[in-house]
């Protein structure tokens, strides 16, 4: 006959203020490599497949509730208006799930390094042994401030004693309560009803449940964590930083073991939510955050921050910052590029140095090599955008789009005043302010005609080094341009051209 499946309830304790964080943000909402503290705890519990998840909220309850609605909408927040202790918190949580039978897993909200495997092993041991209560314990180098596991002469759990209530001999114990437990729901409810506040803090201690059950002859058990690091809590920002380093090392090691090269793991910070393909290479000083994905053979770094950005196979990203961008296969970005949301680079596209791209597509093989802002634009394939171009997308009220076709060559120092279209194969002259569409195959020229006022320096700046240089040139002793001797009169040349100067070689040459 098959057994009925175990009913499981998860209770996360997250009502505390976390005074020592000295923060307006509730402690459990502090971020740690891609998740909040409570987010890490909930994901460690997720594989249990609990029927109900209850999160006890208190300090900053509205903020915590809003966060839970985002990351764990299936969880039920329950308010503990006054923090009267961990036992009180669990009592309130169970009141919200009167139907709960089977196993209740309780996890402190501030143990973000806890692994799902460890919670799973704790619950498995607890259910296998039919214990009334099982605590996750760990042997730690420094037990200061933590509850101690007090065992009897036979090595069985006798009670859990808080540091403040411990005798000097008990304080020597280095086996501590990690703040993670499995209980039998019915026996837990019964014991919670019997808790006293007769302790140093005048609180209802969840940990006292163990002594009570044991005295009533119920089986209580200890499950020892293989790695005490998983049980580390977080009370202030120094500890948070230490946890961040530990988690970084864990994440980095796991990626290296799957075949990703991290050239300097110490300066590489990868959120737990990031995905990397085999043979991706991450160079030093790089942060990969959120939903970032890096394809195989791509090289990211040094000095790169990617947030929610997808990097295709074989692409390179050097000394750049990207948020919400898509970088196609074999595309190249940087050094010193800034890709903003919905910047989309197709295969082999290039975004070079001091280039900012926002909400724009850059087609396959197209290049935006230098000193350019591309906003709200679509650029076709195999086009080249001249240096120092601005896609003028904003009229002060509305944003407009610029469309550049394929195989276009736009000149250096252009302004594309959107909405405007430059057709396939079209050119534009350097220094143009393009306000009208340029048809396919045309050369768009939009700039003031140049005039040279001959002899101006000799006349208006006499006695300066410039005037002396001009004078030498006039005598044929100049450093450059022997064909262009300085003239003496103030004649103005250049008016003969009908349009602002015929574009010549170099007008678009900024590849
Ligand atoms: C608790 C344990 C201690 C254990 C340690 C592990 C008790 C009495 N002690 O101590 O044995 O070694 O965790 O880190 O349980 N919380 C509430 N409501 C409350 C009080 C606390 O939700 O009324 C929450 C806190 O937000 C926190 C968790 O419960 O997430 C633990 O509370 P905390 O005050 O940190 O307990 P510790 O003194 O660390
Ligand atoms: Mg604590």
């Amino acid at each position: 006959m098959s057994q009925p499946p175990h009913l499981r309830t998860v209770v996360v304790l997250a009502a505390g203020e976390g005074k020592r964080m000295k923060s307006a943000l509730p402690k459990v909402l502090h971020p740690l490599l891609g998740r909040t503290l409570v987010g890490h705890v909930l994901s460690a519990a997720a594989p249990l497949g609990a029927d109900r998840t209850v999160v006890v909220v208190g300090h900053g309850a509205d903020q915590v509730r809003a966060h839970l609605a985002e990351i764990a909408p299936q969880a039920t927040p329950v308010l503990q208006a006054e923090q009267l202790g961990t036992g009180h918190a669990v009592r309130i949580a169970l009141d919200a799930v009167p139907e709960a039978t089977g196993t209740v897993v309780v996890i402190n909200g501030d143990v973000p390094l806890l692994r799902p495997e460890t919670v799973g092993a704790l619950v498995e041991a607890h259910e296998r042994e039919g214990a009334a209560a099982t605590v996750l314990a760990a042997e730690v180098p420094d037990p200061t401030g933590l509850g101690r596991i007090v065992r009897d002469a036979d090595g069985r759990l006798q009670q859990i004693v808080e540091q403040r209530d411990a005798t000097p001999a008990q304080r020597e114990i280095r086996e501590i309560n990690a703040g993670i437990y499995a209980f039998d729901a019915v026996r837990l409810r019964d014991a919670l009803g019997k808790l006293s506040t007769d302790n140093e803090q005048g609180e209802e201690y969840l940990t006292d449940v163990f002594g009570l059950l044991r005295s009533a002859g119920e089986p209580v058990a200890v499950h020892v964590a293989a790695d005490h690091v998983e049980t580390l809590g977080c009370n202030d920002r120094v500890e948070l930083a230490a946890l961040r380093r530990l988690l970084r090392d864990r994440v980095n090691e796991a990626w290296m073991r799957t075949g990703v090269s991290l050239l300097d793991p110490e300066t590489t910070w990868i959120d737990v939510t990031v995905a990397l393909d085999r043979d991706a290479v991450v160079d030093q000083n790089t942060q990969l955050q959120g939903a970032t994905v890096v394809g195989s053979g791509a090289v990211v770094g040094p000095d790169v921050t990617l947030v929610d950005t997808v990097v295709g196979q074989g692409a390179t990203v050097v000394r750049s910052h990207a948020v919400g961008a898509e970088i196609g296969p074999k595309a190249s970005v940087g050094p010193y590029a800034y890709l903003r949301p919905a910047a989309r680079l197709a295969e082999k596209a290039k975004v070079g140095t001091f280039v900012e791209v926002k909400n724009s597509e850059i087609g396959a093989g197209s290049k935006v090599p230098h000193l350019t802002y591309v906003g709200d634009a679509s650029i076709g394939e195999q086009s080249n955008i001249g240096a120092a171009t601005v896609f003028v997308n904003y009229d002060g009220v509305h944003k407009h789009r610029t469309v550049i076709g394929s195989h276009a060559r736009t000149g250096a120092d252009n302004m594309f005043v959107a909405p405007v279209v430059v057709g396939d194969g079209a050119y534009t002259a350097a220094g143009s302010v393009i306000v009208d569409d340029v048809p396919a195959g045309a050369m768009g020229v939009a700039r003031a005609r140049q005039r040279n006022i001959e002899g101006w320096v000799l006349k208006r700046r006499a006695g300066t080094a410039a005037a002396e240089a001009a004078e030498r040139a006039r005598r044929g002793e100049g450093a450059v341009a022997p064909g262009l001797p300085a003239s003496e009169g103030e004649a103005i040349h250049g008016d003969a051209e009908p349009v602002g100067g015929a574009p010549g070689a170099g007008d678009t040459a900024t590849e």
Side-chain angles (χ1 to χ4, degrees), residues 12-18 20 27-28 56-58 80 82-90 107-111 143 145-148 160-165 176-181 199 201 203-208 231-235:
V12 175
L13 303 185
E17 179 181 9
R20 283 173 285 167
K27 175 162 89 176
V28 293
V56 181
V57 300
Q80 184 194 25
E82 261 186 295
Q83 283 69 59
L84 304 175
T86 48
H88 179 252
V90 174
I107 311 182
N108 283 359
D110 62 352
V111 281
L146 296 166
R148 307 298 205 279
I160 301 172
V161 181
E162 292 308 297
Q163 159 111 9
R164 299 159 184 261
D165 305 298
I176 58 89
N177 164 24
I180 298 142
Y181 323 82
N199 53 55
Q201 297 191 83
E203 290 185 353
E204 287 180 37
Y205 286 169
L206 177 61
T207 44
D208 284 348
T231 69
L232 292 175
C234 168
N235 292 307

Side-chain angles (χ1 to χ4, degrees), residues 76-102:
T76 310
V78 169
L79 182 69
Q80 184 194 25
E82 261 186 295
Q83 283 69 59
L84 304 175
T86 48
H88 179 252
V90 174
R91 199 145 59 76
I92 287 182
L94 290 189
D95 286 348
V97 283
E99 76 285 2
T101 55

Side-chain angles (χ1 to χ4, degrees), residues 14 16-18 21 23-30 37 59-61 63-64:
E17 179 181 9
M21 296 297 284
S23 176
L25 197 63
K27 175 162 89 176
V28 293
L29 296 191
H30 276 259
L37 298 185
H59 274 280
Q63 276 171 282
V64 180

Side-chain angles (χ1 to χ4, degrees), residues 108-413:
N108 283 359
D110 62 352
V111 281
L113 301 192
L114 183 64
R115 288 180 200 260
E117 296 80 357
T118 304
V119 191
L122 166 75
V123 171
E124 209 259 322
H126 169 81
E127 290 176 351
R128 192 183 55 232
E129 288 173 28
T134 306
V135 57
L136 185 72
E139 190 86 31
V140 296
D142 177 14
T144 310
L146 296 166
R148 307 298 205 279
I149 303 292
V150 181
R151 294 176 182 262
D152 64 17
D154 299 326
R156 285 175 311 185
L157 176 65
Q158 202 167 14
Q159 57 171 334
I160 301 172
V161 181
E162 292 308 297
Q163 159 111 9
R164 299 159 184 261
D165 305 298
T167 64
Q170 287 169 336
R171 287 184 189 190
E172 296 299 312
I173 299 171
R174 290 196 297 117
E175 188 179 22
I176 58 89
N177 164 24
I180 298 142
Y181 323 82
F183 297 99
D184 169 65
V186 174
R187 288 177 279 185
L188 172 62
R189 250 184 237 283
D190 184 54
L192 286 172
K194 296 175 183 156
L195 286 180
S196 82
T197 54
D198 182 18
N199 53 55
E200 219 264 336
Q201 297 191 83
E203 290 185 353
E204 287 180 37
Y205 286 169
L206 177 61
T207 44
D208 284 348
V209 162
F210 285 82
L212 284 168
L213 289 171
R214 156 99 200 226
S215 307
E218 297 284 1
V220 292
V222 181
H223 183 80
V224 181
D227 177 8
H228 81 88
V229 161
E230 284 188 49
T231 69
L232 292 175
C234 168
N235 292 307
D236 60 28
R237 298 189 200 227
V238 176
E239 287 178 6
L240 182 61
L243 294 189
R244 188 177 288 114
R245 287 192 294 273
L246 288 165
L247 187 56
R248 174 201 65 196
D249 291 347
R250 182 197 282 179
V251 169
N252 287 354
E253 190 178 323
W255 283 121
M256 289 188 280
R257 295 209 184 281
T258 67
V260 171
S261 285
L262 305 183
L263 303 191
D264 186 19
E266 301 267 291
T267 63
T268 300
W269 300 83
I270 303 174
D271 280 1
V272 295
T273 45
V274 164
L276 306 171
D277 280 352
R278 227 171 120 151
D279 288 319
V281 177
V282 183
D283 206 339
Q284 67 181 357
N285 277 329
T286 293
Q287 299 92 45
L288 305 179
Q289 300 175 353
T292 291
V293 176
V294 179
S296 73
V299 179
V300 175
D303 305 328
V304 166
T305 300
L306 302 180
V307 183
D308 300 334
T309 289
V310 178
V311 180
Q313 295 187 1
T316 58
V317 187
V318 181
R319 292 188 216 284
S320 293
H321 190 104
V323 181
E326 281 174 42
I327 298 166
K330 297 189 181 152
S332 135
V333 174
Y336 308 110
Y338 179 24
L339 304 183
R340 291 167 50 200
R344 291 190 289 274
L345 281 58
E347 185 163 2
K348 294 186 182 164
K350 176 192 170 104
V351 165
T353 304
F354 301 117
V355 174
E356 173 179 346
V357 182
K358 182 215 77 168
N359 191 30
S360 296
E361 295 95 46
I362 298 176
S366 285
K367 297 177 180 176
V368 188
H370 343 263
L371 299 163
T372 291
Y373 172 61
V374 184
D376 300 305
S378 300
I379 298 171
E381 298 183 357
Q382 306 293 339
S383 287
N384 189 82
I385 304 301
T389 290
V390 176
F391 286 70
V392 183
N393 59 331
Y394 188 43
D395 61 14
V397 181
H398 299 108
K399 302 277 171 69
H400 302 279
R401 285 194 80 78
T402 296
V403 177
I404 309 276
S406 293
H407 299 278
R409 295 276 177 277
T410 69
D413 198 21

